[in-house]
Amino acid sequence: TQMFVFEKQKDIKKRVIEEFENNPITHLFEKRSINAQGQTTLALPPLDIHDPEKDPKLMELHMYQNALEKQKVAGDIWVKNALIIIRNKFVIDKSMVKFLVKDNPIIPDGRERIFQSGLYMFLNGDYYEALHILAPQMENLFRNIAREVGGLTVTLKNGSSMEKTLGSILSLPELLECYDNDILFTFRGLLNEQAGANIRNEIAHGIISEYDCSTGACLYFGVAVIKLLSLTSVSFYQVLKNSEKLKHFEMPKKDAIRLK
């Protein structure tokens, strides 16, 4: 949690533009994403060579794709190894993660136990099972926040109501006004965007493999969930306050680890 920081959208956008300007030839052609079955899941058109910010929606898709590349590297390197170190050093039982969910105001009522189970499984390396719990529960968490701040989370048609898609929920003006937009951007990319990890939809359709859940963006997502819950956990701040080791924790410099 001390090492994880939600990346700012302005920094991602800046990185996309810099990479475009430094390597214009590589950006002349569309980017394609292919799944394990050999199917093309995304055909991302190139940015305008004269004005990369000409199409805001296209720029946003390139930002999701750029963020995903970083998330995969972070997940496969530092997240995976950090989790291995934790499991080698500690025997984790379910009660040890209760402090993250107990009385946490952003967790919907009655969902504390299932969040606790998902976090426990994730920290113990049962990633496949953990993601099948945490992804839909995170969707419900954001729906609940949107509903609490007055956002309309259902659509009405012919006298019947239907829940809005996750993409629509994460774009509700009421939610964007009250919640950190960088956090929403991160989870929108991880859960719901084809240009991003699209974890929620792959789980909903039974596509995601057990191997995929133990790599890259999926590991990054699990730690993002822990970080998000820590931000509103009173018990978490008590741990920070009382831990002698964390009192002396120093954040590494930005370029302490450089990936080439």
Side-chain angles (χ1 to χ4, degrees):
T1 57
Q2 296 296 86
M3 292 290 293
F4 186 99
V5 177
F6 286 105
E7 195 169 18
K8 295 185 179 298
Q9 293 178 72
K10 65 178 183 179
D11 292 337
I12 302 172
K13 185 176 182 179
K14 180 181 178 183
R15 190 168 63 239
V16 170
I17 294 173
E18 287 178 349
E19 291 180 5
F20 178 83
E21 292 174 345
N22 293 335
N23 303 282
I25 295 178
T26 61
H27 292 270
L28 292 177
F29 309 99
E30 69 179 14
K31 293 183 179 180
R32 288 181 174 269
S33 296
I34 300 175
N35 62 18
Q37 290 75 39
Q39 301 167 327
T40 299
T41 57
L42 175 71
L44 185 60
L47 297 169
D48 188 285
I49 193 167
H50 301 294
D51 182 8
E53 298 185 66
K54 182 178 180 179
D55 185 339
K57 181 58 180 176
L58 182 58
M59 169 58 75
E60 186 178 61
L61 293 176
H62 277 268
M63 289 169 61
Y64 285 124
Q65 180 79 119
N66 188 282
L68 176 62
E69 292 170 1
K70 296 271 288 185
Q71 291 161 359
K72 285 180 176 178
V73 173
D76 279 329
I77 296 177
W78 78 262
V79 173
K80 180 177 289 185
N81 285 291
L83 291 170
I84 289 172
I85 290 170
I86 290 172
R87 287 196 295 274
N88 287 339
K89 193 169 183 178
F90 303 101
V91 176
I92 303 170
D93 62 56
K94 193 180 292 188
S95 65
M96 294 172 72
V97 295
K98 188 175 182 180
F99 75 97
L100 279 172
V101 301
K102 183 182 179 182
D103 300 324
N104 195 317
I106 65 170
I107 294 180
D109 289 342
R111 302 301 177 103
E112 294 85 358
R113 285 181 60 192
I114 197 162
F115 264 101
Q116 187 177 349
S117 295
L119 295 173
Y120 164 71
M121 291 176 182
F122 181 78
L123 290 172
N124 265 307
D126 298 322
Y127 303 127
Y128 198 47
E129 295 84 350
L131 262 73
H132 279 74
I133 290 175
L134 293 176
Q137 292 307 316
M138 285 302 296
E139 175 178 351
N140 185 58
L141 180 147
F142 285 117
R143 285 183 186 278
N144 188 64
I145 294 174
R147 194 180 301 115
E148 289 292 325
V149 297
L152 186 62
T153 61
V154 297
T155 56
L156 302 175
K157 187 176 181 180
N158 299 326
S160 61
S161 61
M162 182 179 297
E163 288 287 338
K164 289 184 177 180
T165 64
L166 178 58
S168 298
I169 295 296
L170 292 173
S171 299
L172 283 172
E174 294 86 353
L175 184 59
L176 292 170
E177 287 175 9
C178 81
Y179 211 79
D180 188 300
N181 282 205
D182 295 323
I183 292 177
L184 295 177
F185 181 89
T186 297
F187 280 102
R188 191 184 298 118
L190 287 168
L191 288 171
N192 198 65
E193 290 290 335
Q194 283 192 322
N198 204 24
I199 293 170
R200 176 65 182 97
N201 291 316
E202 290 206 349
I203 286 177
H205 293 95
I207 297 172
I208 199 164
S209 69
E210 185 170 2
Y211 171 77
D212 287 338
C213 288
S214 64
T215 61
C218 288
L219 296 181
Y220 188 92
F221 165 73
V223 176
V225 173
I226 294 174
K227 178 71 174 187
L228 182 76
L229 296 180
S230 74
L231 296 176
T232 47
S233 167
V234 174
S235 298
F236 173 81
Y237 287 99
Q238 291 175 345
V239 171
L240 291 183
K241 181 180 179 181
N242 298 327
S243 170
E244 291 300 322
K245 289 184 178 181
L246 288 177
K247 285 178 182 178
H248 304 290
F249 177 86
E250 294 183 10
M251 286 290 293
K253 294 180 179 178
K254 188 175 181 181
D255 60 351
I257 300 176
R258 184 168 293 177
L259 302 174
K260 295 184 179 180

